[in-house]
Amino acid sequence: MEIQPEKFYEACITHHLVNHFEINLDKKIYPFSISQIEEKKEGYDFGYKISNKSFFIQYKRPYISLPQCLYNWKIELEQLITINSKNYNINTYYALPAFSDSLGWYTALNNTFFINAINLENQIKKINFKRDIKSTTINKEKIKLETWKEIKHKFETTLNIALKEPLETNIKIEDISNYIKGLNQYTKDTTWLYIVEEE
Amino acid sequence: MALHSGGRIMHYENVNILGSYSLRDGGNISIFMGKNLALGTEVNTYIHELFHMHLTNSSNLGLLLLLFEKEYNLASNADDMSHCEKIKELSEIIFNRTIYVQEVYANSQELLWIENNLGPDIAEEAFNLKNKDYKDYCNKMRIITSNKKLKIERKKYLIDRICLYALGIPISSEKFISALKSKQKLHHYFSEDLHPKKRLDIALEKYSRNEDLKEENTILINYLLSELRELEIIKYFDKELPELNEVIQWSMKNGILDESEVRNWIELNQKKMDEKVKLFDFYNLKVERVQEVPDGFGFGVFVIKNCLNIHNKDNFYFISHSLIKSNSTYVSNEAPYGIIENSDIKVIGISSYEYDLKKMKPSYLKECKVPIVVLIDNFNHAKEIIKRIFNKGELFIGDLYGQNVNNFSTVLFFRERTDPKTIFVFPTLKKLSIRIIEELEISQELVFSNDKYFKRILSAFGDEVDMLEFSQWIFGFIMQSSCNFTEIDDPATKLSFDLTKTMINNIFEIKEPGHYRRWASLPTKKTLAQPYYSLMEFKNGKNTGGFYGSDNVIIFFTNKIDALNYKAKVLRINKSIQQFHVVGIDKHFWNTSKKVLSKIRICVYINNALDLARLVTVNYLDSKINS
């Protein structure tokens, strides 16, 4: 079975996310590839304020293990730890597609697992009993993964009454540069920032 | 209930959320008790959320959302999950387009209400407390709210009209119904002048030009329902629903309501809306899922069975409350039930939705050695349980403070006399606790937390030390606070002040082991004889525990008439028997107190005419009572 390249998953899931935000949530999101930001960081301006609902997604193309046809994803621990050490109160999710056929484009969100990077780090540490490893292969039997249906509520707006937020979460281009520091080119190439429009 | 119908315990970002309104179960309001009490914003939050509910109930789009919510619940009960998804998606698309108008409305109305009732300075304080987005929502209506020529009532009325106009989409028009066929079509429908946010701007422009906001916009409700059925958007909703009909009637008048009608509507619906206010809501708990369940849970833990957060359906969801980096946090994880069976916890908490009211026992928990706290978050549920206990048994009920203390929120504690190990706890609005007591006519049963009789409700904990620990645990949990008694500003400490004082007042008194359990088991005037009666002393309507007897012998009667005749006969020569009442001796009292009673001589009255009684042994009585 031929697995699609990472670019396919990035394009496909980004397309569905933009649509979901626009149609269902009545909000615009603006996707930026991290590499694209890095290349232009001198004088770069998003033109948007990065609200605390903005998020990063790192894409991982799957591997299929036979004979049980189980989808696996390779996670680099060093990168994961680097990502989690930057605390801007912006969530990073790993998108783990569990489909390989290009026909899966239309049902991509329902066939992709998501997991918050901090949660992933904790779970990996737990299953590896603190052994010093560089990378690990995960699948849905090893790690508790969430489906799109389970995480999409995190982006919903509800009728809440809130006070002044205790944390200022509007991040700047310098923060993104800082976030990128220490990430290898592969991670940069597969990570996207989604800026959620503010009112 | 959310947890049953597929609800999820929420994970939030780091924002101070004080309250929320959601369409669940026909609309309900959550107010986070601890934070609001700490910040003194309870009233603001309550008013704010009430206005969200009001706008939902009286606007066209709100009506449609309530209809979809009902359909969703019916489909969910029928396990038609694909239909649920379809309805949820349509609702989501519509709801998200109402948010802006909803927030402009609730924020503006909230501030006007505060200005009118508490004064302009407090309104300004409330405005300054809001975050930037919420200030922007308030500012949207500045053209009206800052107009010094307008009276507050007029301002409120105008905002009502403008926001109703904004959400006054012609939902029974062919164009709108056709748009419901797909999410893309619906998105397209709202994309220009028909977006509520745009309609709000149009209404404000009309207002500034002094133009009328009236629209020919009658909802043809039967036509709408038949078209929605045709499109299979509605498959289950087919019966008359009085509350929805009422909303429909009002909504049909949308656009022609005058000021007095709006006022009447608010008053009429105030009671109903109050019932939807939740001061504790499992659905809205901000939980941190921990990787490993801690070895010990501390004093107690909440155990939930029906919760979407659970990955393995055989597991239970455990929620406890602790301080993480000095932040009060709910921590949770799923695990098999067995992990608490051998733990040292002293109480297990459950949601009232997992309590079988017919059988009066938890729906999912096995036999428990420790007391169970049933936490109730729903007014009608609380009222029904209290009513059932009162009608079928003997109710012990306590409120934290009397009506002379003007607090906004409170917690009701209650239980049935013969079941000390099941304690019900209902955090609610003070006005709702008063309503329950009045409507069920149970003021005779009610005690306040400064009264020692409040401790009867908590007798299962044995002594004041454990009662205090329980109180700290439950208040800390409900209010997401440390409930550290030394911090006077801590909201839970504030609310439990009288209760804590009552416990501490006699914490050092020496009592025999089991004192409170026996004391709380004393028969009341309602206790049924199983099968004996006796004469016991009452002061201020409460049993003091003293038996009437002579020559150090107490008398049990086999029927009530004998007991009453005996009392009448003695009364002629000894007036002190007046304060003794005939009570039933039941299994609960007997089994709790028989060790103590075994030290006293007891006789059973056998002949009224001859005044004959026979000394009996405790074993004899035990075999009769427990037969």
Side-chain angles (χ1 to χ4, degrees):
Chain A
M1 209 178 301
E2 190 161 340
I3 306 282
Q4 301 296 321
E6 245 121 16
K7 289 274 171 265
F8 171 84
Y9 297 108
E10 290 166 23
C12 169
I13 289 166
T14 300
H15 162 82
H16 286 294
L17 286 175
V18 168
N19 273 350
H20 177 79
F21 271 78
E22 188 174 15
I23 294 177
N24 290 43
L25 306 182
D26 198 26
K27 272 192 185 302
K28 287 198 165 51
I29 54 166
Y30 302 94
F32 293 87
S33 135
I34 291 281
S35 305
Q36 174 198 355
I37 297 169
E38 194 188 29
E39 282 160 23
K40 299 179 182 175
K41 76 181 165 197
E42 291 305 316
Y44 195 89
D45 181 12
F46 291 112
Y48 317 99
K49 203 169 137 190
I50 309 176
S51 70
N52 65 347
K53 289 212 166 155
S54 305
F55 54 95
F56 292 102
I57 291 187
Q58 189 175 140
Y59 291 89
K60 290 282 164 197
R61 72 194 290 244
Y63 300 88
I64 298 173
S65 60
L66 296 171
Q68 65 273 56
C69 262
L70 190 64
Y71 283 92
N72 294 276
W73 302 271
K74 193 179 164 196
I75 306 292
E76 291 173 38
L77 256 294
E78 193 188 333
Q79 297 299 299
L80 179 60
I81 293 164
T82 308
I83 286 169
N84 286 337
S85 65
K86 316 284 167 82
N87 183 7
Y88 301 110
N89 206 30
I90 285 202
N91 283 310
T92 299
Y93 298 97
Y94 275 67
L96 309 171
F99 63 98
S100 51
D101 196 313
S102 61
L103 288 176
W105 178 284
Y106 291 96
T107 49
L109 283 182
N110 291 335
N111 293 315
T112 300
F113 293 106
F114 293 86
I115 184 162
N116 184 294
I118 295 172
N119 184 358
L120 181 61
E121 185 183 336
N122 289 338
Q123 288 200 54
I124 289 177
K125 279 182 182 162
K126 196 179 160 191
I127 56 171
N128 284 302
F129 303 104
K130 294 176 185 166
R131 271 178 293 149
D132 194 15
I133 48 162
K134 286 204 165 147
S135 67
T136 187
T137 300
I138 62 163
N139 57 48
K140 74 178 168 67
E141 287 176 3
K142 277 191 195 167
I143 301 276
K144 278 178 191 163
L145 300 172
E146 289 189 295
T147 61
W148 167 246
K149 215 168 136 186
E150 285 166 328
I151 71 144
K152 68 177 183 182
H153 70 90
K154 292 182 180 170
F155 307 110
E156 286 168 6
T157 309
T158 49
L159 295 177
N160 287 325
I161 177 167
L163 286 187
K164 289 172 183 167
E165 279 102 9
L167 291 173
E168 276 294 325
T169 51
N170 299 315
I171 65 167
K172 299 172 189 66
I173 184 70
E174 295 78 44
D175 299 326
I176 303 291
S177 309
N178 203 4
Y179 180 90
I180 294 167
K181 266 182 210 160
L183 297 182
N184 59 29
Q185 195 56 42
Y186 166 76
T187 310
K188 285 176 198 168
D189 287 345
T190 52
T191 303
W192 287 67
L193 168 66
Y194 296 85
I195 299 181
V196 181
E197 162 196 67
E198 287 214 329
E199 285 295 348
Chain B
M1 152 65 176
L3 293 171
H4 275 253
S5 60
R8 172 177 302 282
I9 292 175
M10 297 291 287
H11 301 257
Y12 277 113
E13 303 304 328
N14 191 9
V15 176
N16 264 330
I17 306 285
L18 298 177
S20 68
Y21 169 74
S22 88
L23 292 160
R24 268 188 302 131
D25 307 331
N28 71 64
I29 288 169
S30 296
I31 297 177
F32 300 105
M33 217 170 163
K35 281 183 185 166
N36 281 288
L37 197 60
L39 294 159
T41 50
E42 290 166 299
V43 175
N44 314 17
T45 305
Y46 165 67
I47 293 300
H48 181 104
E49 306 304 344
L50 277 188
F51 277 115
H52 278 316
M53 186 179 268
H54 171 61
L55 189 61
T56 304
N57 288 351
S58 50
S59 64
N60 292 8
L61 283 183
L63 165 70
L64 192 69
L65 288 170
L66 289 173
L67 179 66
F68 283 174
E69 173 69 15
K70 193 74 208 166
E71 175 70 11
Y72 177 88
N73 286 339
L74 294 168
S76 168
N77 292 340
D79 272 339
D80 188 347
M81 295 329 282
S82 69
H83 188 58
C84 280
E85 281 301 310
K86 180 176 166 178
I87 296 297
K88 200 175 168 190
E89 188 149 59
L90 286 176
S91 288
E92 185 177 58
I93 294 170
I94 296 170
F95 172 76
N96 281 313
R97 278 145 182 93
T98 67
I99 287 175
Y100 183 80
V101 177
Q102 276 279 8
E103 291 299 5
V104 167
Y105 180 77
N107 280 286
S108 309
Q109 292 285 26
E110 174 204 334
L111 288 187
L112 287 173
W113 188 94
I114 293 172
E115 188 182 337
N116 201 22
N117 292 278
L118 308 170
D121 293 346
I122 302 200
E124 199 181 325
E125 250 176 61
F127 175 78
N128 289 331
L129 267 177
K130 289 179 184 289
N131 69 9
K132 189 190 163 295
D133 289 349
Y134 285 75
K135 280 181 180 158
D136 290 346
Y137 292 132
C138 296
N139 290 335
K140 186 77 182 169
M141 287 291 176
R142 279 288 171 214
I143 186 172
I144 294 166
T145 51
S146 303
N147 187 337
K148 292 194 173 132
K149 288 180 191 160
L150 296 173
K151 287 186 177 163
I152 288 182
E153 280 305 307
R154 179 74 187 159
K155 291 176 185 175
K156 285 163 73 177
Y157 169 69
L158 288 169
I159 292 170
D160 219 71
R161 293 293 303 274
I162 286 169
C163 292
L164 281 174
Y165 177 93
L167 298 186
I169 299 290
I171 56 171
S172 57
S173 68
E174 277 181 34
K175 196 177 166 193
F176 180 76
I177 291 169
S178 166
L180 292 171
K181 285 178 187 167
S182 78
K183 60 181 195 176
Q184 285 79 7
K185 283 185 179 175
L186 196 52
H187 171 58
H188 183 69
Y189 179 89
F190 284 123
S191 61
E192 286 170 14
D193 282 1
L194 288 165
H195 194 297
K197 191 175 175 186
K198 180 74 182 164
R199 283 179 63 88
L200 185 76
D201 288 334
I202 295 170
L204 278 167
E205 279 167 27
K206 278 178 179 258
Y207 165 75
S208 59
R209 291 198 301 265
N210 252 336
E211 282 177 27
D212 202 344
L213 285 174
K214 270 184 198 165
E215 276 189 313
E216 277 310 314
N217 191 2
T218 311
I219 306 172
L220 305 167
I221 194 72
N222 291 329
Y223 174 75
L224 172 69
L225 291 173
S226 75
E227 289 296 301
L228 293 178
R229 282 195 189 104
E230 184 80 11
L231 293 173
E232 293 197 336
I233 291 170
I234 283 183
K235 280 164 72 179
Y236 298 92
F237 177 82
D238 62 350
K239 39 185 186 192
E240 293 281 307
L241 287 172
E243 71 271 23
L244 204 63
N245 282 345
E246 199 179 310
V247 175
I248 289 165
Q249 279 170 20
W250 282 100
S251 304
M252 285 168 78
K253 287 185 179 178
N254 178 24
I256 51 165
L257 293 180
D258 65 21
E259 280 177 68
S260 64
E261 276 179 307
V262 171
R263 264 199 306 279
N264 287 341
W265 196 95
I266 290 174
E267 276 167 32
L268 266 172
N269 285 276
Q270 182 72 39
K271 274 190 164 186
K272 273 191 185 168
M273 294 204 284
D274 279 346
E275 290 171 12
K276 302 278 191 175
V277 176
K278 293 179 179 208
L279 292 192
F280 178 85
D281 187 359
F282 273 108
Y283 188 90
N284 265 317
L285 281 194
K286 296 176 261 177
V287 291
E288 292 260 347
R289 197 176 172 116
V290 291
Q291 291 308 310
E292 282 176 47
V293 178
D295 291 338
F297 286 106
F299 192 81
V301 64
F302 272 81
V303 183
I304 308 281
K305 182 69 195 166
N306 287 307
C307 176
L308 276 186
N309 301 44
I310 293 177
H311 291 96
N312 178 347
K313 284 188 177 173
D314 295 333
N315 282 343
F316 283 76
Y317 200 65
F318 293 89
I319 309 174
S320 60
H321 176 248
S322 61
L323 291 176
I324 296 181
K325 293 176 190 163
S326 78
N327 287 325
S328 188
T329 311
Y330 292 111
V331 291
S332 66
N333 205 342
E334 63 178 270
Y337 184 71
I339 66 153
I340 53 168
E341 282 181 322
N342 296 316
S343 71
D344 295 331
I345 52 167
K346 290 189 174 170
V347 62
I348 292 174
I350 61 170
S351 153
S352 61
Y353 295 94
E354 299 194 350
Y355 184 79
D356 186 335
L357 201 50
K358 282 184 190 154
K359 295 180 185 161
M360 289 300 268
K361 66 184 194 98
S363 309
Y364 303 103
L365 302 192
K366 295 174 205 159
E367 198 68 26
C368 281
K369 290 179 203 152
V370 296
I372 288 176
V373 162
V374 183
L375 188 51
I376 310 171
D377 68 0
N378 172 309
F379 171 81
N380 288 317
H381 216 174
K383 195 172 161 190
E384 181 56 34
I385 298 173
I386 296 171
K387 192 172 152 191
R388 198 172 274 252
I389 295 176
F390 182 64
N391 290 341
K392 295 196 171 172
E394 296 164 76
L395 174 71
F396 288 171
I397 185 164
D399 196 347
L400 295 178
Y401 297 95
Q403 285 194 33
N404 55 332
V405 179
N406 190 20
N407 53 339
F408 176 82
S409 48
T410 189
V411 184
L412 279 177
F413 289 79
F414 52 96
R415 73 164 174 94
E416 207 281 318
R417 175 184 150 269
T418 60
D419 187 5
K421 282 171 71 183
T422 306
I423 301 157
F424 298 89
V425 176
F426 178 43
T428 187
L429 300 177
K430 180 76 189 171
K431 64 201 274 196
L432 285 184
S433 84
I434 293 172
R435 253 182 73 188
I436 286 184
I437 305 299
E438 284 176 358
E439 286 175 12
L440 296 177
E441 298 178 357
I442 51 171
S443 56
Q444 291 292 317
E445 270 66 27
L446 183 69
V447 293
F448 298 109
S449 63
N450 59 2
D451 185 332
K452 69 172 183 177
Y453 281 95
F454 196 98
K455 286 190 269 188
R456 287 196 307 189
I457 305 166
L458 310 180
S459 65
F461 294 103
D463 59 27
E464 279 91 352
V465 177
D466 274 5
M467 286 185 204
L468 266 176
E469 270 205 72
F470 165 70
S471 153
Q472 189 173 26
W473 174 76
I474 191 72
F475 279 98
F477 189 85
I478 293 170
M479 303 178 77
Q480 201 187 354
S481 128
S482 68
C483 196
N484 182 344
F485 296 131
T486 54
E487 284 173 38
I488 194 68
D489 285 338
D490 176 86
T493 305
K494 273 186 197 168
L495 202 64
S496 60
F497 186 78
D498 266 11
L499 181 61
T500 311
K501 210 170 124 196
T502 306
M503 308 290 182
I504 289 174
N505 274 350
N506 41 15
I507 201 163
F508 295 117
E509 277 177 16
I510 295 165
K511 296 174 202 81
E512 284 185 39
H515 165 81
Y516 281 113
R517 291 189 182 99
R518 285 195 301 278
W519 177 60
S521 75
L522 289 171
T524 70
K525 290 175 188 172
K526 274 179 82 178
T527 304
L528 296 174
Q530 288 176 323
Y532 298 107
Y533 293 88
S534 193
L535 282 158
M536 293 192 83
E537 186 189 39
F538 278 69
K539 277 184 185 163
N540 301 321
K542 303 277 191 317
N543 191 332
T544 65
F547 279 95
Y548 184 81
S550 58
D551 299 331
N552 292 324
V553 180
I554 61 173
I555 314 163
F556 279 13
F557 300 87
T558 50
N559 66 70
K560 196 172 185 177
I561 294 168
D562 278 355
L564 288 168
N565 286 341
Y566 178 82
K567 181 181 170 182
K569 206 184 286 179
V570 175
L571 193 59
R572 281 185 233 132
I573 48 169
N574 181 1
K575 296 285 177 217
S576 70
I577 200 173
Q578 187 67 50
Q579 65 211 42
F580 289 81
H581 289 266
V582 176
V583 291
I585 302 294
D586 67 346
K587 275 185 196 174
H588 174 62
F589 169 64
W590 176 257
N591 290 330
T592 314
S593 306
K594 66 185 171 193
K595 265 192 185 169
V596 175
L597 290 172
S598 68
K599 296 170 188 164
I600 303 166
R601 290 193 297 166
I602 304 171
C603 63
V604 175
Y605 201 70
I606 48 174
N607 188 312
N608 192 29
L610 300 171
D611 247 356
L612 280 179
R614 181 161 59 94
L615 270 177
V616 289
T617 64
V618 166
N619 286 346
Y620 168 81
L621 289 170
D622 200 41
S623 67
K624 290 282 177 195
I625 293 170
N626 285 314
S627 64

